[in-house]
Amino acid sequence: MVLLLVLQLALSLLGCCMCAPPKAPEVDTLHLENYDLVEDEDVDWENLHLNSYEEAYDYEEPDRAVRNRQGWRESKLRATAAQLFRPFRPVEGMPTCLLCVCVSTSVYCDDSNLDQIPPLPRETAYFYARFNRIERVKTADFANINSLQRVDLTGNQISEVEANAFRDLPGLRELMLPDNRLRALPELPASLQLIDVRNNLLTSAGIRPGAFQDMTRLGFLYLSHNQLDFVPTPLPEGLHVLHLQYNNIQSLQEDTFCNRNDLTYLRRALEDIRLDGNPVNLSRYPQAYFCLPRLPVGRLQ
């Protein structure tokens, strides 16, 4: 019986020893060289006293910490917004399809603050660079882009187009250069179906004689709001629309639209002629319209 009591006491003492928390290590006996320490110039790890570490650390008050975090987030948002909504300025050498938007064979560079035409992919068929700051069109801008069908440079500051800039583009069908500063037209390919050079500074001397004669596919010719003194003749047979309003045209010739040597000749295609806003009095030139399906629009008195 005594032996059983002694055994139970021994087991109780053993259990208490096993359940006791481990002894806390002595701070003075820790060796920092056994640990990977973070490099920090502001901490002297060799002379660091762990017993006083809590006193040396500057803990922020909870409210102040929250305010600081909120202020940091707000400043970060402001900086991000400034980056997103800052005025775009193209970087020289930037790939065109990062500077502009390329979709299949179309390149859109509208309102991109361009001052020159960027290098275009060889497969470009439709190019739009409206409302930029382009002042000059060079021959090299479209060199070897034989698939180009439409060029739209509306609303730039173009005052010069090199003579061969468009001439060697065999598939070009539509050329749009309204709202620029052109005084003369360059040589153009015979493949054109639409030419729009409204609201420029074109003079009659800036359009070479017979400039449109060989353009058998030309259907739409917009020359309004320029400084032309006469209708640029001869006009191609397939022309449907001719807009010349608000120029300085003062007279017409009998063969401007018709053939004075052939009274049976009819020009059925040319149905829309605008001459309003010019000083010419259309009633003085009745022989100039007998071949047309419709009379031109303009001053008749």
Side-chain angles (χ1 to χ4, degrees):
M1 187 66 179
V2 175
L3 182 59
L4 183 58
L5 292 174
V6 172
L7 183 59
Q8 289 179 348
L9 179 59
L11 290 174
S12 298
L13 291 174
L14 181 61
C16 291
C17 292
M18 292 180 66
C19 295
K23 182 179 180 181
E26 294 290 339
V27 172
D28 294 337
T29 62
L30 292 177
H31 299 286
L32 297 179
E33 61 268 13
N34 294 331
Y35 296 87
D36 293 329
L37 301 179
V38 178
E39 294 292 335
D40 192 333
E41 298 178 355
D42 297 331
V43 179
D44 184 4
W45 294 102
E46 296 295 333
N47 301 313
L48 182 66
H49 297 287
L50 297 183
N51 289 330
S52 60
Y53 183 69
E54 184 174 350
E55 297 177 1
Y57 190 84
D58 182 20
Y59 288 99
E60 287 186 315
E61 297 176 4
D63 291 342
R64 188 174 65 182
V66 170
R67 288 197 301 271
N68 287 345
R69 283 196 296 272
Q70 290 175 344
W72 179 85
R73 290 193 187 99
E74 291 174 359
S75 62
K76 188 69 174 177
L77 287 173
R78 285 194 295 269
T80 303
Q83 287 290 103
L84 288 175
F85 298 105
R86 73 184 189 281
F88 179 77
R89 296 186 180 277
V91 178
E92 184 176 355
M94 179 183 292
T96 300
C97 289
L98 291 180
L99 177 66
C100 306
V101 176
C102 298
V103 180
S104 184
T105 58
S106 299
V107 178
Y108 300 90
C109 298
D110 293 347
D111 200 14
S112 297
N113 203 27
L114 297 176
D115 58 8
Q116 62 183 355
I117 295 173
L120 298 176
R122 290 285 297 273
E123 66 276 10
T124 301
Y126 305 95
F127 175 58
Y128 303 87
R130 296 167 291 195
F131 314 114
N132 285 286
R133 299 183 295 109
I134 299 170
E135 298 180 359
R136 185 183 181 194
V137 179
K138 303 184 291 295
T139 301
D141 290 335
F142 302 111
N144 302 318
I145 308 181
N146 296 327
S147 58
L148 200 60
Q149 299 181 34
R150 181 185 301 158
V151 173
D152 191 344
L153 295 169
T154 300
N156 279 274
Q157 302 171 21
I158 300 171
S159 59
E160 180 185 0
V161 179
E162 292 185 1
N164 299 331
F166 302 111
R167 187 188 65 180
D168 298 326
L169 299 174
L172 190 62
R173 297 183 304 179
E174 299 179 6
L175 178 61
M176 285 160 279
L177 294 165
D179 302 313
N180 280 283
R181 300 175 181 176
L182 285 173
R183 295 183 178 274
L185 286 182
E187 294 187 42
L188 300 173
S191 59
L192 282 169
Q193 300 175 13
L194 181 150
I195 300 173
D196 187 351
V197 284
R198 293 168 295 152
N199 197 24
N200 275 272
L201 302 173
L202 283 176
T203 64
S204 292
I207 301 178
R208 64 181 181 84
F212 309 112
Q213 182 175 8
D214 296 330
M215 298 181 182
T216 57
R217 300 179 182 179
L218 186 64
F220 305 88
L221 181 57
Y222 300 103
L223 297 167
S224 62
H225 295 86
N226 279 285
Q227 300 174 8
L228 301 178
D229 297 319
F230 52 82
V231 178
T233 57
L235 298 168
E237 287 292 326
L239 193 65
H240 293 282
V241 175
L242 175 63
H243 283 190
L244 289 161
Q245 62 267 40
Y246 297 99
N247 278 276
N248 191 37
I249 298 172
Q250 301 182 29
S251 63
L252 296 175
Q253 301 298 324
E254 289 186 4
D255 56 356
T256 298
F257 307 111
C258 302
N259 185 351
R260 62 183 173 182
N261 296 321
D262 183 2
L263 298 181
T264 63
Y265 168 76
L266 297 177
R267 185 188 284 268
R268 299 186 184 278
L270 191 53
E271 296 183 345
D272 183 8
I273 303 175
R274 293 282 304 274
L275 285 165
D276 46 310
N278 285 276
V280 61
N281 186 345
L282 298 181
S283 62
R284 295 181 180 179
Y285 308 96
Q287 296 300 316
Y289 323 125
F290 72 87
C291 67
L292 299 176
R294 295 177 182 169
L295 291 175
V297 176
R299 186 167 67 92
L300 295 172
Q301 292 182 351

